[in-house]
Amino acid sequence: MNKYLLSFFTVLVCMNAYADIYVDTLGSDHIAHITNEHSIDLNKIKNIGIGEYVIDKYVISDSSVVINDFSDWQNWQADIDFDTDVSLYINNISNWHNGDRVEHITTDDILNDVSVKDIDGLYRTSFEAHSGDVSLYLVRETNYEVVFNDPRGSFLGNIRSNNPNDKMLLAMDRAINMNEVNSIMNSSYHFNPMILMNPIKTITRSNLLDSFTDITDSEAGAKFDYILSDKINNFGTHVYIDNKYENLSFRIGVNLNSFSYGDDLNEFTGLVYGLDIRAKQYIDDLWVDGLIGINRTDFKTDNIYVNENISNNPNGISEYLRLNVGYDYTKIPEFVFVPFVGFMLQRYEIMDFSDTDLNLHTGIMAKYDFIMDGIKYEYGANIATDEKAFWNIGFNIGFLSVVDEAGVSVSINVFKDEFAVNYKLSLNGKIRF
């Protein structure tokens, strides 16, 4: 049988099984042409041939090819020519390493239309043509307009244009899969505005811890605070008036805090201002001490994505309540030892999000004072902890002129909250009336 009759016979047989596949011969080589085939299996292509004749070369065009296992293709010895408009679908690349070469492949173009089953959405596939073979690469995609087929992509693109060094984007670019990317986005204020309230929780807890100190007399004062941790820097001012009527004392105060906040994914600043009221009632040596307050925060931020809407410079509200019950135990007039129990209730709201936090705590205060040369020296310490293992340790020392009824005090607090260990230094000036 001459080669032309063989070729004709091959075409007739193959056309019965493969409508767009035919075989011809070139010299001693048998060449299979595959055109307009959709999702044709690589193993099916291998079986093209008649009797003792083996296909020496495959020319594929305008088709899509399914490769069940990448290693099957690597072990295939026949030449393949990807001609035009070929798509590849690979089901298993468990034996593949990035950049692995497949021999006996020729193509005029770099094959970008390649799909790998169950590939993470952060990656795209690319074939790079060489002389007589190709390499398969998984390319980490950092264009999130490609990764996300929704408005988040253009939102992230705008952030990159305005601030290429945005912490969230840099962390996303280092992520190795979509689960990490989603976790990073959820931990950034760009997608989770409640993150903005983290420093407000620290500032609020700091104000509540101040209520562990005592109200002694009717006075007016101003206290200046500095809070520092590896995440927050805060400068605060609290102006207050105390009044005392027999065994009942109360305080009304206004506060202003300017802070900056930064962690691995976020960086922003803001201004907190508000009002608080405190009252303390003695019944013999037993007392009840309560504090209630509300603050508003103006944040300086941009590019917040919520429900496909973009916002800038939002406002937050924080409300808080604290109640302590204690007992002044002493056998020495100048020294008082005070165990107490209580709770803190805090609520935070920003945009369409809110959060409530309740902490039960217990602690001990100690106070010691004496007068020498017209100066009253006041010393104090407190320690407290709660069921979440948050804690506070504080020390204070004060000096009061008995004649002028004016004085100053300095306090140091170290407290742990859910974000960090914080250090607080306070200077308080007061005058009694």
Side-chain angles (χ1 to χ4, degrees):
M1 184 182 296
N2 64 38
K3 64 178 180 180
Y4 300 105
L5 181 58
L6 173 63
S7 179
F8 176 73
F9 180 72
T10 302
V11 170
L12 289 179
V13 174
C14 290
M15 285 183 66
N16 289 327
Y18 311 108
D20 295 297
I21 299 173
Y22 68 93
V23 179
D24 66 11
T25 59
L26 181 63
S28 61
D29 293 334
H30 300 86
I31 303 172
H33 296 267
I34 303 171
T35 307
N36 296 321
E37 283 287 340
H38 298 289
S39 301
I40 183 171
D41 194 290
L42 180 67
N43 291 320
K44 188 176 181 180
I45 295 175
K46 289 182 180 180
N47 293 327
I48 298 174
I50 297 178
E52 63 187 79
Y53 296 97
V54 177
I55 300 300
D56 301 291
K57 184 176 183 180
Y58 298 83
V59 179
I60 304 174
S61 59
D62 302 317
S63 300
S64 57
V65 179
V66 177
I67 302 170
N68 287 314
D69 196 296
F70 189 75
S71 60
D72 291 342
W73 192 21
Q74 289 176 303
N75 297 327
W76 196 8
Q77 298 302 312
D79 291 336
I80 298 178
D81 180 12
F82 291 120
D83 192 5
T84 56
D85 296 329
V86 177
S87 301
L88 301 181
Y89 301 92
I90 306 174
N91 289 329
N92 186 357
I93 58 171
S94 59
N95 297 319
W96 164 86
H97 299 89
N98 206 17
D100 274 359
R101 290 196 176 194
V102 182
E103 298 180 346
H104 310 292
I105 305 296
T106 58
T107 179
D108 294 334
D109 304 307
I110 296 176
L111 298 173
N112 287 317
D113 192 6
V114 181
S115 300
V116 177
K117 184 179 179 180
D118 298 329
I119 190 174
D120 191 274
L122 279 181
Y123 296 87
R124 60 180 173 84
T125 52
S126 175
F127 269 96
E128 182 175 330
H130 308 287
S131 177
D133 57 31
V134 295
S135 297
L136 173 63
Y137 294 92
L138 288 188
V139 181
R140 174 60 164 82
E141 183 61 75
T142 57
N143 180 356
Y144 296 104
E145 295 185 59
V146 175
V147 174
F148 296 103
N149 189 25
D150 57 45
R152 290 177 296 174
S154 57
F155 171 75
L156 290 165
N158 289 334
I159 293 180
R160 195 181 295 279
S161 296
N162 296 329
N163 182 13
N165 294 318
D166 180 86
K167 288 184 174 182
M168 178 194 68
L169 281 177
L170 294 178
M172 289 173 65
D173 291 345
R174 293 190 297 267
I176 63 173
N177 55 50
M178 280 300 298
N179 287 336
E180 285 191 17
V181 165
N182 290 327
S183 176
I184 290 167
M185 292 167 61
N186 190 56
S187 300
S188 166
Y189 78 82
H190 290 300
F191 289 92
N192 182 4
M194 279 304 300
I195 299 297
L196 294 171
M197 302 304 289
N198 288 358
I200 312 307
K201 293 180 180 181
T202 298
I203 294 170
T204 300
R205 174 169 283 269
S206 166
N207 291 339
L208 292 169
L209 294 174
D210 279 345
S211 62
F212 291 161
T213 59
D214 201 12
I215 301 176
T216 55
D217 293 289
S218 297
E219 62 187 37
K223 186 165 69 71
F224 305 95
D225 303 318
Y226 176 56
I227 302 173
L228 174 67
S229 75
D230 60 351
K231 293 180 173 62
I232 185 173
N233 276 276
N234 177 77
F235 293 92
T237 302
H238 191 83
V239 179
Y240 63 89
I241 296 176
D242 290 349
N243 267 292
K244 187 171 184 179
Y245 300 97
E246 297 182 350
N247 293 324
L248 173 65
S249 56
F250 67 91
R251 170 179 294 180
I252 183 169
V254 295
N255 61 80
L256 177 68
N257 294 269
S258 176
F259 71 88
S260 62
Y261 180 86
D263 59 25
D264 293 341
L265 301 175
N266 303 279
E267 200 166 82
F268 54 88
T269 61
L271 191 67
V272 187
Y273 48 95
L275 170 74
D276 57 56
I277 299 173
R278 179 182 174 189
K280 185 173 186 179
Q281 174 67 56
Y282 269 93
I283 304 173
D284 294 328
D285 290 328
L286 182 71
W287 51 259
V288 178
D289 186 12
L291 173 69
I292 187 171
I294 183 170
N295 286 331
R296 174 187 167 101
T297 304
D298 296 337
F299 294 97
K300 187 172 179 57
T301 60
D302 56 10
N303 296 314
I304 299 174
Y305 181 94
V306 177
N307 298 325
E308 299 187 6
N309 294 315
I310 300 175
S311 302
N312 300 301
N313 302 320
N315 300 314
I317 297 294
S318 52
E319 302 159 328
Y320 50 94
L321 170 68
R322 193 217 26 80
L323 186 68
N324 283 340
V325 178
Y327 180 76
D328 285 7
Y329 176 81
T330 179
K331 290 184 178 180
I332 304 173
E334 295 84 4
F335 178 79
V336 181
F337 177 76
V338 188
F340 63 90
V341 295
F343 71 87
M344 302 177 184
L345 178 64
Q346 303 157 68
R347 182 181 182 275
Y348 303 94
E349 181 178 341
I350 183 169
M351 301 175 72
D352 296 330
F353 303 88
S354 63
D355 184 25
T356 301
D357 191 19
L358 175 64
N359 298 107
L360 306 177
H361 60 254
T362 185
I364 299 171
M365 291 186 292
K367 299 178 290 183
Y368 177 66
D369 61 68
F370 63 91
I371 296 175
M372 180 183 295
D373 298 329
I375 302 296
K376 183 179 182 180
Y377 296 86
E378 302 170 323
Y379 300 91
N382 65 77
I383 183 171
T385 186
D386 65 20
E387 83 283 2
K388 296 180 180 178
F390 302 156
W391 49 263
N392 170 76
I393 300 174
F395 303 92
N396 65 280
I397 180 171
F399 308 93
L400 177 72
S401 171
V402 177
V403 176
D404 299 326
E405 293 192 316
V408 295
S409 63
V410 177
S411 63
I412 298 174
N413 280 271
V414 182
F415 65 97
K416 180 183 182 298
D417 60 10
E418 60 185 296
F419 310 111
V421 174
N422 306 275
Y423 303 87
K424 179 179 178 180
L425 177 63
S426 301
L427 175 65
N428 186 20
K430 59 186 179 181
I431 184 170
R432 293 181 174 175
F433 55 86

